[in-house]
Amino acid sequence: MHKAKLDVIHVHFFFPTILLAVIYKCLRNRRVKIIVTFHGSDIYHYSNPNKLYRYCVKFIDHAIFVSQDLKKRFYKSEIDSSIFSAGILSDFAVKKTAEKEFDFIFVGTLDENKGAKRLIELCEKLKDSYKFLVVGKGPYQAYFSESTHSNIAYIPHLDSTELASYYQKSLWGLSLSHKESFGLVISEAMACGTPVIATNTDGSRAQIDSMENGFLIAQSEELVKSIREVVHNTSDTDYQALSNKAAARAKKENVNIIAQNIFALYRKIAIYNES
């Protein structure tokens, strides 16, 4: 029986985590291969990287970017790389018919970057027309947890099975981020057959073909108007087509598929001994 030995360090979130991998390689095992997954802010916050950041890049044997557009933002264009998201659980991979209880579902950290202030504006301006389900915690959670508006339902946390059920009970997913390298909640909603209306980011462009499996809207002050128009102009027939195509697109982000691809990458890069 042949056994293959893999000697690899997989670093998630490049800087400064990479320093530990570099120290290990230099002091303990020169043969170890270093794979890095760039998730977003480890590139967004280093558009003009310092000398230490650039030095550590020299130790990368292979880079993984969670979206193609995130890779384009990396300062070094010539680098051995792949594009893989973190992957979504199989709990979200089953599209079921469910009675719609909510017009919109928002899932994520309730902070500035994820668009919590935008969400508050939407809830206020659409309070007489649409019902929102908000799932998450963060600096702006008090608005939702203390709200007396009948159009807002707030849940701090759901497990994956419960969350899948609520995606299926919602007509539209919302992603309102200012910056987003991928956005797994987009794929989660889509896998459940819930089309997503998303602000235009690296991550939303990677997943949504506007008017095909969801909608991309501009990063502008006319957010409420844009969302109103999407909902108003989407017929039942169009919506069903969006739902079907959204579920089909999300299948490629299943975590089992991602894991197989990453293990194949390990074998390709890191096998150095067989016995």
Side-chain angles (χ1 to χ4, degrees):
M1 181 177 179
H2 293 282
K3 294 182 179 180
K5 182 176 181 180
L6 301 179
D7 210 348
V8 60
I9 297 176
H10 190 160
V11 175
H12 284 266
F13 196 86
F14 175 66
F15 195 81
T17 316
I18 185 63
L19 293 171
L20 296 175
V22 171
I23 291 170
Y24 177 86
K25 185 179 181 81
C26 291
L27 299 182
R28 187 64 182 260
N29 185 357
R30 289 280 182 175
R31 293 185 296 183
V32 71
K33 302 295 184 180
I34 297 178
I35 297 174
V36 173
T37 294
F38 290 90
H39 288 272
S41 57
D42 44 358
I43 291 179
Y44 293 140
H45 293 171
Y46 297 93
S47 57
N48 185 23
N50 58 37
K51 290 182 179 179
L52 182 57
Y53 186 106
R54 290 172 179 266
Y55 173 75
C56 290
V57 167
K58 297 178 181 179
F59 288 85
I60 298 176
D61 293 289
H62 192 88
I64 297 173
F65 300 91
V66 296
S67 65
Q68 185 64 44
D69 282 353
L70 181 66
K71 178 183 176 181
K72 291 177 181 178
R73 295 181 185 273
F74 190 54
Y75 82 97
K76 187 179 178 67
S77 59
E78 295 182 1
I79 186 169
D80 190 36
S81 65
S82 302
I83 309 296
F84 298 135
S85 73
I88 60 172
L89 297 176
S90 296
D91 293 341
F92 301 105
V94 180
K95 181 185 174 185
K96 297 179 180 179
T97 301
E99 183 178 349
K100 302 299 183 182
E101 298 181 17
F102 306 96
D103 296 290
F104 302 107
I105 181 171
F106 177 97
V107 179
T109 305
L110 297 171
D111 63 12
E112 182 72 29
N113 181 59
K114 295 292 186 180
K117 290 177 69 174
R118 291 170 164 176
L119 181 60
I120 291 171
E121 179 187 10
L122 278 173
C123 290
E124 290 288 341
K125 291 187 176 180
L126 302 179
K127 63 184 177 182
D128 297 326
S129 307
Y130 300 102
K131 188 169 184 180
F132 293 79
L133 172 62
V134 179
V135 181
K137 298 179 181 180
Y140 289 90
Q141 73 182 67
Y143 171 86
F144 302 100
S145 63
E146 299 171 8
S147 175
T148 58
H149 293 328
S150 60
N151 71 320
I152 298 175
Y154 173 69
I155 304 175
H157 174 74
L158 292 169
D159 65 30
S160 56
T161 302
E162 294 168 330
L163 185 54
S165 174
Y166 278 106
Y167 279 131
Q168 291 157 4
K169 294 176 183 178
S170 305
L171 277 168
W172 298 95
L174 287 176
S175 177
L176 306 175
S177 299
H178 293 267
K179 287 185 177 181
E180 190 73 71
S181 59
F182 188 77
L184 287 175
V185 295
I186 296 177
S187 280
E188 290 175 358
M190 290 170 63
C192 295
T194 303
V196 176
I197 303 171
T199 46
N200 197 330
T201 64
D202 293 342
S204 61
R205 286 193 302 276
Q207 303 177 72
I208 297 174
D209 296 319
S210 202
M211 300 180 67
E212 288 291 321
N213 60 5
F215 286 89
L216 297 176
I217 57 177
Q219 297 270 2
S220 72
E221 296 178 358
E222 296 188 345
L223 201 72
V224 176
K225 179 182 177 182
S226 298
I227 291 175
R228 278 185 187 272
E229 289 178 350
V230 166
V231 175
H232 179 74
N233 293 330
T234 303
S235 68
D236 290 344
T237 302
D238 291 340
Y239 180 88
Q240 191 58 53
L242 286 169
S243 175
N244 292 338
K245 290 179 180 179
R249 167 59 181 81
K251 287 181 179 179
K252 64 185 291 186
E253 306 304 337
N254 186 286
V255 70
N256 295 324
I257 295 174
I258 301 296
Q260 290 172 11
N261 290 337
I262 290 177
F263 186 69
L265 178 64
Y266 288 170
R267 291 185 61 86
K268 176 183 176 182
I269 291 175
I271 291 179
Y272 71 85
N273 182 42
E274 291 192 0
S275 58

